[in-house]
Amino acid sequence: RIRTAQAPDAAAILQHDAHISARELQNLIRLERVYVLQAGGRFAGWLRYGLFWDNTPFLNMLFLLEGERRKGYGRALVRHWEARMRALGYTTVMTSTAANEYAQHFYQKLGYSRCNNCLCSLFCVADHLSCGIRQVRVPVYTGGYRID
Protein backbone atom coordinates (compact mmCIF):
# COMPACT_ATOMS: atom_id res chain seq x y z
CA ARG A 1 0.00 0.00 0.00
CA ILE A 2 1.33 3.43 -0.96
CA ARG A 3 0.05 6.57 0.69
CA THR A 4 1.02 10.18 1.25
CA ALA A 5 3.20 10.46 4.34
CA GLN A 6 1.80 11.95 7.53
CA ALA A 7 3.68 13.77 10.31
CA PRO A 8 4.06 10.61 12.47
CA ASP A 9 5.88 8.86 9.57
CA ALA A 10 8.83 11.22 9.98
CA ALA A 11 10.26 9.24 12.91
CA ALA A 12 10.50 6.02 10.89
CA ILE A 13 11.95 7.82 7.87
CA LEU A 14 14.56 9.69 9.89
CA GLN A 15 15.84 6.42 11.37
CA HIS A 16 17.16 5.59 7.89
CA ASP A 17 17.57 8.94 6.11
CA ALA A 18 20.61 10.94 7.15
CA HIS A 19 20.34 13.19 4.07
CA ILE A 20 17.55 15.45 5.34
CA SER A 21 16.87 17.38 8.51
CA ALA A 22 13.78 16.66 10.59
CA ARG A 23 12.53 20.18 9.88
CA GLU A 24 12.89 19.85 6.11
CA LEU A 25 11.27 16.41 6.13
CA GLN A 26 8.28 17.84 8.02
CA ASN A 27 8.05 20.61 5.41
CA LEU A 28 8.02 18.05 2.59
CA ILE A 29 5.41 15.96 4.39
CA ARG A 30 3.24 19.05 4.83
CA LEU A 31 3.63 19.76 1.08
CA GLU A 32 2.66 16.11 0.34
CA ARG A 33 6.02 15.42 -1.31
CA VAL A 34 6.70 12.19 0.55
CA TYR A 35 5.06 8.82 -0.15
CA VAL A 36 5.25 5.87 2.24
CA LEU A 37 5.04 2.22 1.25
CA GLN A 38 3.59 -0.28 3.69
CA ALA A 39 3.95 -4.03 3.18
CA GLY A 40 2.04 -6.42 5.40
CA GLY A 41 0.84 -3.45 7.41
CA ARG A 42 4.42 -2.40 8.26
CA PHE A 43 6.50 0.55 7.18
CA ALA A 44 8.65 -0.69 4.28
CA GLY A 45 10.07 2.40 2.59
CA TRP A 46 9.44 5.82 1.13
CA LEU A 47 9.96 8.17 -1.78
CA ARG A 48 10.50 11.89 -1.38
CA TYR A 49 10.85 14.59 -3.97
CA GLY A 50 11.29 18.32 -4.42
CA LEU A 51 11.08 20.69 -7.36
CA PHE A 52 14.15 21.25 -9.49
CA TRP A 53 14.27 24.82 -10.82
CA ASP A 54 11.00 25.29 -8.89
CA ASN A 55 9.08 23.64 -11.74
CA THR A 56 10.25 20.07 -12.33
CA PRO A 57 9.61 17.22 -9.86
CA PHE A 58 12.94 15.75 -8.82
CA LEU A 59 13.06 12.41 -7.01
CA ASN A 60 15.51 12.99 -4.16
CA MET A 61 15.22 9.71 -2.27
CA LEU A 62 13.79 6.28 -2.90
CA PHE A 63 14.50 3.91 -0.03
CA LEU A 64 13.27 0.45 0.91
CA LEU A 65 14.17 -1.36 4.09
CA GLU A 66 16.66 -4.17 3.56
CA GLY A 67 14.14 -7.03 3.67
CA GLU A 68 11.73 -5.27 1.31
CA ARG A 69 14.03 -4.87 -1.69
CA ARG A 70 13.75 -6.72 -5.01
CA LYS A 71 10.00 -7.24 -4.56
CA GLY A 72 8.79 -4.62 -7.06
CA TYR A 73 8.11 -2.04 -4.36
CA GLY A 74 10.60 0.49 -5.74
CA ARG A 75 8.99 0.30 -9.15
CA ALA A 76 5.56 0.70 -7.54
CA LEU A 77 6.66 3.79 -5.60
CA VAL A 78 8.19 5.42 -8.68
CA ARG A 79 5.13 4.64 -10.83
CA HIS A 80 2.85 6.00 -8.08
CA TRP A 81 4.92 9.20 -7.95
CA GLU A 82 4.89 9.54 -11.75
CA ALA A 83 1.11 9.14 -11.82
CA ARG A 84 0.70 11.78 -9.09
CA MET A 85 2.99 14.17 -10.97
CA ARG A 86 1.02 13.62 -14.16
CA ALA A 87 -2.23 14.29 -12.26
CA LEU A 88 -0.71 17.53 -10.93
CA GLY A 89 0.01 18.62 -14.51
CA TYR A 90 3.76 18.09 -14.69
CA THR A 91 5.21 16.89 -17.97
CA THR A 92 8.73 16.04 -16.85
CA VAL A 93 10.24 14.33 -13.82
CA MET A 94 13.91 13.92 -12.97
CA THR A 95 16.26 12.02 -10.70
CA SER A 96 19.98 11.41 -10.45
CA THR A 97 22.35 8.76 -9.16
CA ALA A 98 26.09 8.42 -8.85
CA ALA A 99 27.44 7.04 -12.12
CA ASN A 100 28.79 3.96 -10.32
CA GLU A 101 25.59 3.38 -8.33
CA TYR A 102 23.46 0.32 -9.08
CA ALA A 103 20.32 2.49 -8.92
CA GLN A 104 21.06 3.94 -12.36
CA HIS A 105 20.21 0.54 -13.87
CA PHE A 106 16.94 0.47 -11.94
CA TYR A 107 15.90 3.85 -13.37
CA GLN A 108 16.98 2.89 -16.88
CA LYS A 109 14.72 -0.18 -16.66
CA LEU A 110 11.88 2.19 -15.77
CA GLY A 111 12.51 4.21 -18.93
CA TYR A 112 14.72 6.98 -17.57
CA SER A 113 17.44 8.09 -19.95
CA ARG A 114 20.95 8.93 -18.97
CA CYS A 115 21.72 12.41 -20.19
CA ASN A 116 25.05 13.87 -21.11
CA ASN A 117 23.79 16.96 -22.85
CA CYS A 118 23.66 20.65 -22.05
CA LEU A 119 20.97 20.15 -19.42
CA CYS A 120 23.08 17.52 -17.74
CA SER A 121 26.15 19.72 -17.68
CA LEU A 122 24.11 22.30 -15.78
CA PHE A 123 22.59 19.69 -13.51
CA CYS A 124 25.34 17.15 -13.01
CA VAL A 125 28.08 19.29 -11.59
CA ALA A 126 30.58 16.45 -11.42
CA ASP A 127 31.58 13.65 -13.77
CA HIS A 128 30.66 10.99 -11.20
CA LEU A 129 26.95 11.88 -11.34
CA SER A 130 24.36 10.54 -13.73
CA CYS A 131 21.04 12.26 -14.42
CA GLY A 132 17.81 10.66 -15.43
CA ILE A 133 14.95 12.50 -17.02
CA ARG A 134 11.53 11.10 -17.74
CA GLN A 135 8.87 13.16 -19.44
CA VAL A 136 5.14 12.75 -19.56
CA ARG A 137 3.02 11.71 -22.60
CA VAL A 138 5.40 11.69 -25.58
CA PRO A 139 7.90 9.17 -26.94
CA VAL A 140 11.51 8.91 -25.81
CA TYR A 141 13.77 11.72 -26.91
CA THR A 142 17.45 12.39 -26.34
CA GLY A 143 18.06 12.86 -22.64
CA GLY A 144 14.58 12.12 -21.43
CA TYR A 145 11.37 10.17 -21.44
CA ARG A 146 7.77 11.17 -21.09
CA ILE A 147 5.48 9.25 -18.75
CA ASP A 148 2.70 7.50 -20.68
Side-chain angles (χ1 to χ4, degrees):
R1 175 178 173 243
I2 298 171
R3 61 175 173 77
T4 303
Q6 301 297 314
D9 294 315
I13 293 169
L14 289 169
Q15 286 181 4
H16 305 280
D17 192 346
H19 303 286
I20 191 169
S21 70
R23 182 177 179 178
E24 184 58 23
L25 179 59
Q26 287 295 345
N27 286 336
L28 290 177
I29 289 172
R30 185 178 44 76
L31 292 169
E32 299 185 346
R33 293 184 180 164
V34 181
Y35 301 107
V36 168
L37 177 108
Q38 292 181 298
R42 294 182 330 269
F43 176 83
W46 74 93
L47 178 152
R48 67 175 163 81
Y49 75 97
L51 293 179
F52 188 73
W53 291 325
D54 298 322
N55 65 11
T56 303
F58 183 87
L59 193 161
N60 291 319
M61 174 66 75
L62 173 63
F63 187 87
L64 294 167
L65 300 180
E66 192 72 36
E68 306 300 338
R69 297 176 187 165
R70 306 196 65 79
K71 297 180 180 181
Y73 296 150
R75 173 184 295 269
L77 271 165
V78 171
R79 293 300 189 225
H80 177 84
W81 173 64
E82 290 171 345
R84 290 292 305 133
M85 297 306 97
R86 191 171 33 252
L88 291 171
Y90 292 104
T91 59
T92 304
V93 297
M94 297 173 63
T95 193
S96 73
T97 68
N100 64 350
E101 192 175 352
Y102 179 78
Q104 70 178 309
H105 304 293
F106 167 77
Y107 290 111
Q108 287 171 348
K109 287 179 186 176
L110 294 180
Y112 287 72
S113 300
R114 185 174 179 173
C115 64
N116 291 316
N117 57 23
C118 185
L119 173 64
C120 190
S121 67
L122 292 172
F123 173 62
C124 295
V125 294
D127 290 340
H128 66 280
L129 296 177
S130 175
C131 308
I133 300 174
R134 185 167 164 91
Q135 295 188 308
V136 185
R137 290 185 220 132
V138 296
V140 173
Y141 75 103
T142 304
Y145 187 85
R146 291 203 182 240
I147 305 169
D148 296 324

